[in-house]
Amino acid sequence: MRYDVLNILRVKNDYISGEELGNMLGVSRAAIWKAVTKLKNEGYNISSVSKRGYRLIDNKDVLNENEVRIGNIVCLKEVDSTNEEGKRRAEKGCADGLVIVSDYQSTGKGRLGKSWSSDKAKDLYMSIVLYPDISPMEAPRLTLIAGIAVSEAVNGITGLDAGIKWPNDVVVNGKKLCGILTEMSAEIERIKYVVIGIGVNINREGFNAELSDKATSVCIETGKKYRRALFIDEIVSRFMKYYGIYRERGFAALKDDYNRLCLNKGKIVRTIGNNVIKGRALGVNDKGELLIETDTSIVPVLSGEVSLRLEGDRYI
Ligand code: BTN
């Protein structure tokens, strides 16, 4: 019921008395007062003035299950890492496609053992739990699909021009906006579960000196604040659509979408690792491997095996 009150306050955008609210919803003024108290405790900024009633003061970005359109979601205030929470829930057999988001991660994880910092209730920290019927070798393709979903969602919502730095950093104006960390539990042949962790910098207004020339946020790029729920809906619905296509027709059906967004394509790149490969990136193949054209051959590079340095790159 409290979210019905919230919806009325949103539409009204002015004071409305407890009595009128009560009449609209068929409940008592006391019930309205209780609902408003709960909403305030959840973080909504509601002014109560005697004889005038209640008014929603600003459309603060509160994140809860009511704010999103997708159904299969758990919204937490704080967690160690949404990926860790996803793994714990997968071990207990949670639903396929469960989405976990949190306002804050105390020990958020990045790729290659790095940490992922949290700016409380400003950015998006989200994990999707899946039980795909694929081999562990194919799991990196899910990360590529998540990269497509995030880039398209960012571009659709904001009008920015986000692209993907292979394999899975979403980049705007040469700076990283989103990182994706896929973790799995698997046997030799089959995956038990996969957790796809997505961190998108949304409303953060700045970064420390170490990160400021490598990382950016939607707010820094657009000068505007956004509701995180909007990004959750757009990213998850796009991801689920592409995941469906992938399961039916394989990554080959998504290769062109990925290559259209791939910022490395046509650029000179160099892998980082023991066996350095340098050449022109041609885009990904049907398996999601990046094809690098060297002086002597075309070499497929599997994501997860190497990192990549783009010549002139600012942020590795
Ligand atoms: C990277 O290093 O680029 C990957 C960063 C992934 C961060 C996200 S935030 C949600 C999920 N939970 C984590 O602990 N990490 C991922």
Side-chain angles (χ1 to χ4, degrees):
M1 198 275 284
R2 64 186 184 283
Y3 294 122
D4 296 325
V5 174
L6 181 67
N7 290 339
I8 295 173
L9 293 178
R10 274 200 172 122
V11 173
K12 180 84 179 173
N13 197 22
D14 196 356
Y15 282 94
I16 178 168
S17 70
E19 193 176 349
E20 200 177 338
L21 278 166
N23 289 341
M24 287 167 90
L25 295 171
V27 296
S28 66
R29 275 168 55 197
I32 295 293
W33 180 82
K34 271 191 196 157
V36 169
T37 306
K38 273 193 187 157
L39 288 168
K40 285 182 181 175
N41 289 340
E42 279 177 37
Y44 293 98
N45 202 352
I46 298 171
S47 144
S48 325
V49 175
S50 70
K51 302 217 171 73
R52 295 188 73 189
Y54 306 104
R55 178 180 184 159
L56 187 65
I57 292 301
D58 53 26
N59 226 345
K60 204 171 149 211
D61 178 27
V62 178
L63 192 53
N64 59 44
E65 286 80 359
N66 178 64
E67 295 287 337
V68 291
R69 286 198 314 269
I70 56 162
N72 203 1
I73 185 165
V74 179
C75 300
L76 306 169
K77 289 279 160 227
E78 181 170 344
V79 73
D80 48 356
S81 146
T82 55
N83 268 28
E84 289 302 319
E85 183 65 20
K87 288 194 260 176
R88 287 190 288 268
R89 288 181 186 240
E91 289 291 346
K92 290 187 192 150
C94 70
D96 190 25
L98 177 71
V99 176
I100 298 154
V101 298
S102 182
D103 272 340
Y104 180 76
Q105 297 189 120
S106 54
T107 48
K109 301 187 299 178
R111 284 181 75 216
L112 309 169
K114 292 185 190 156
S115 61
W116 189 260
S117 77
S118 255
D119 200 345
K120 208 172 207 162
K122 292 210 167 156
D123 295 336
L124 179 57
Y125 313 110
M126 169 166 84
S127 298
I128 307 173
V129 181
L130 299 170
Y131 303 94
D133 189 16
I134 57 176
S135 74
M137 284 285 288
E138 291 170 58
R141 295 173 206 175
L142 301 176
T143 318
L144 304 185
I145 295 170
I148 304 175
V150 173
S151 307
E152 287 190 352
V154 168
N155 294 343
I157 294 169
T158 66
L160 289 169
D161 190 14
I164 309 169
K165 176 174 164 290
W166 186 87
N168 50 19
D169 286 351
V170 176
V171 173
V172 174
N173 291 327
K175 294 184 180 182
K176 180 162 167 172
L177 184 86
C178 160
I180 303 169
L181 175 69
T182 298
E183 298 184 88
M184 65 178 157
S185 166
E187 286 146 13
I188 296 169
E189 293 284 311
R190 293 250 76 75
I191 286 177
K192 266 169 70 190
Y193 60 80
V194 169
V195 178
I196 301 172
I198 301 174
V200 190
N201 304 324
I202 296 182
N203 291 321
R204 197 185 286 232
E205 283 151 301
F207 288 88
N208 61 25
E210 192 201 332
L211 285 175
S212 62
D213 62 340
K214 300 177 191 163
T216 192
S217 72
V218 171
C219 175
I220 294 170
E221 296 298 322
T222 62
K224 286 191 213 154
K225 295 269 170 68
Y226 285 84
R227 284 177 55 236
R228 287 166 293 163
L230 197 58
F231 284 83
I232 296 171
D233 283 334
E234 283 297 316
I235 294 170
V236 173
S237 55
R238 280 169 202 270
F239 177 81
M240 287 305 181
K241 182 178 90 183
Y242 290 133
Y243 179 55
I245 293 174
Y246 168 68
R247 287 206 301 185
E248 272 181 26
R249 292 156 52 203
F251 187 78
L254 298 167
K255 181 179 76 172
D256 291 346
D257 292 299
Y258 187 90
N259 283 333
R260 198 172 22 83
L261 292 160
C262 181
L263 298 169
N264 312 90
K265 203 175 156 214
K267 304 258 168 61
I268 301 298
V269 297
R270 185 156 48 93
T271 62
I272 304 165
N274 293 335
N275 179 19
V276 175
I277 303 158
K278 187 178 169 184
R280 184 173 302 277
L282 303 179
V284 295
N285 63 11
D286 287 356
K287 295 180 185 166
E289 297 161 333
L290 185 71
L291 298 174
I292 302 181
E293 184 181 37
T294 68
D295 291 340
T296 49
S297 60
I298 293 176
V299 187
V301 180
L302 185 65
S303 77
E305 272 181 359
V306 290
S307 285
L308 200 69
R309 191 177 289 273
L310 199 65
E311 297 289 293
D313 203 344
R314 275 191 271 174
Y315 70 78
I316 296 184

